[in-house]
Amino acid sequence: MTNRLASSTSPYLLQHADNPVHWQPWSAEAFEEAKRRNVPVLLSIGYAACHWCHVMAHESFEDETTAAYLNEHFVSVKVDREERPDVDAVYMEVTQAMTGHGGWPMTCFLTPDAEPFYAGTYFPPQPRPGSPSFGQVLESIAAAWRDQGDEVRESAAAIVAELAQRGGPLQPSTMDADALSGAVVSLLGEYDRKRGGFGNAPKFPPSMVVEFLLRHHERTGSVEALSMARATCDAMAAGGLYDQLGGGFARYSVDASWVVPHFEKMLYDNGLLLRAYTHLSRRDDNPRYREVVRDTAEFLLRDLTTPQGAFAASLDADTNGEEGLTYVWTPAQLVEVLGLEDGVWAAGVFAVTDEGSFEHGTSTLRLLDPVSGERWDRVRAALLESRAKRPQPGLDDKVVTAWNGLAISALAEAGALFDEPRWVDAAARAADHLLAVHLVDGRLLRTSRAGVAGTAAGVLEDYGCLADGLLALHQVTADVRWLDTACGLLDKALVHFANLEAPGAFHDTADDAEALVSRPADPTDNASPAGASSLAAALVTASALGADRAALYRTAGEHAVARAGLLAARAPRFAGHWLSVAEALHAGPVQVALVGASPALVAAARQGVHGGGVVVAGDPDSVPLLAERPLVDGGPAAYVCRGYVCDRPVTSVDDLAEALRR
């Protein structure tokens, strides 16, 4: 037996291809081998940018003694959670149920029938208070399998039965105006008034909740909603979570004040946050928000664009095995790069102190008081140039369909609003790559790398997020092929992912996907939108764009939102995307159809449209939303509708702005 990861398309699996552990990818062959040898399966799940995954790899999986024990007593299977979110979802539910928490690396032990019987996360090489060593765990599991195999199998079967009992869709519940206002009240109770954001450390960027709060403010005028959104975005942009030199956001802050990030940069976070700051800049003409939008968009283009034109999954948390090495500074390092006068000034601007805010006297860069001007531009450029000469974090250049969909949506909308055609072009190139490589016979694949498609089938979030991105491209380009392709994805999703026993509910895997011990269907919005909420968003948008099956899409979207009503009422922090879709439905969604060439009207529409609304300008003969909407007195005109009610067409920027304010 040997390690079998060398031919993988996953950078995470390739990180383990030289381990002495005889790793296998998730496959029927691995479980057949476990049956033949009558040994349990060690399932290890992680991702390329995961710091503690690297730690456990160095401590245990690169250790010859540990590897020898694993190879003798187990079949070892390694899974990239980003490539196989379905496998991850099933065993994460088990891990959380058994331990009360989850995370990566995830370590599960399975029968040869893939039924779990023990689970945890990171295990250290030596025992620690509250945690056995990894070696102790392996020895205990091997002994239990040898001496109590029948009992272990019975326990695993009971766990699978419990999974089936726990599953099932939520009952429908009305997501009306009172429910949306109630969600804002609930969020106020969890809001950190001193530091922005929600909850305590570790603190994650609440991008989808910010989007909901903005949409709620637009519809109702809620001061509290706008205040929470604005203050949270201010705090994130001022802290170490945000890359003050190169743009882009880290995964989360290890503290409650946004000072020290967990340094990996994920494509999904940056796509979602780029969109949120873009929409905030429509309601608040703050130059800092515009700067964050521009720098984050440029970060995506500069640091995450693959040679094929799509976007890579992430940048690692570690550089040469040291977390944050690329990004942190001391006062002396600033002086070395900038000279004494500018170095001292930069230390004050970026809150870099002798004591440090991170480790070993180093500091993350923060911008507590925004500055601008020639000196600021010069200092930032010099520091960024110097930082580029440091060792750099590894790039996970795997292309994930759903995450690219999020980036496409954000870049298309930001490019249109900020008049940056390069961003729109980048979004279109990424979409072209996905449709050429990831879309096969009308069905999506989850990933590709270096232009070669992976083997994992697309999950629901892939269909929803990519469809949403294509619909954003249709709006800013008026190219009907993006609309037609998006609708094709929606039609496939409605056929293959719908829960036939519960209208409005969806599974995360298709009806013809690989059968796992349970079929995942998680409705919660976590780090990225739930598959069902991403699909609901795309369905509602497609209905507003006048797609051929608009009525069906609208009904399907409404039913899906109703299934999330209980979740939104009980845990609005984990229903941000659902709440955003509900706000769009309550606002109409707003539709703006622009006929005739008027850049001023187009700019006013994009600036004034409500979140979740649609704007299309183009040729009435080829764009569905513009059909049968003529010029007015031979000149350009804007048609504003909400749901099924339309205003009279307007021809001036002021009248359009007033119509959108109403």
Side-chain angles (χ1 to χ4, degrees), residues 295-377:
D295 289 347
T296 300
E298 293 298 332
F299 157 71
L300 292 176
L301 271 60
R302 181 188 66 242
D303 292 347
L304 290 188
T305 300
T306 70
Q308 294 74 34
F311 297 101
S314 64
L315 283 171
D316 208 324
D318 297 354
T319 302
N320 293 345
E322 184 174 338
E323 191 176 9
L325 177 65
T326 302
Y327 300 104
V328 295
W329 297 81
T330 65
Q333 289 171 333
L334 295 176
V335 170
E336 182 181 359
V337 173
L338 301 170
L340 181 59
E341 187 175 347
D342 278 350
V344 171
W345 179 81
V349 167
F350 289 120
V352 176
T353 64
D354 291 330
E355 296 78 16
S357 59
F358 183 50
E359 297 173 348
H360 313 301
T362 62
S363 294
T364 61
L365 300 189
R366 292 176 286 156
L367 191 65
L368 305 184
D369 296 306
V371 295
S372 60
E374 184 275 333
R375 188 182 201 184
W376 164 247
D377 294 339

Side-chain angles (χ1 to χ4, degrees), residues 84-105:
R84 291 300 303 266
D86 51 342
V87 174
D88 179 66
V90 168
Y91 296 102
M92 180 59 74
E93 184 178 4
V94 173
T95 302
Q96 290 172 331
M98 285 186 167
T99 68
H101 64 275
W104 300 275

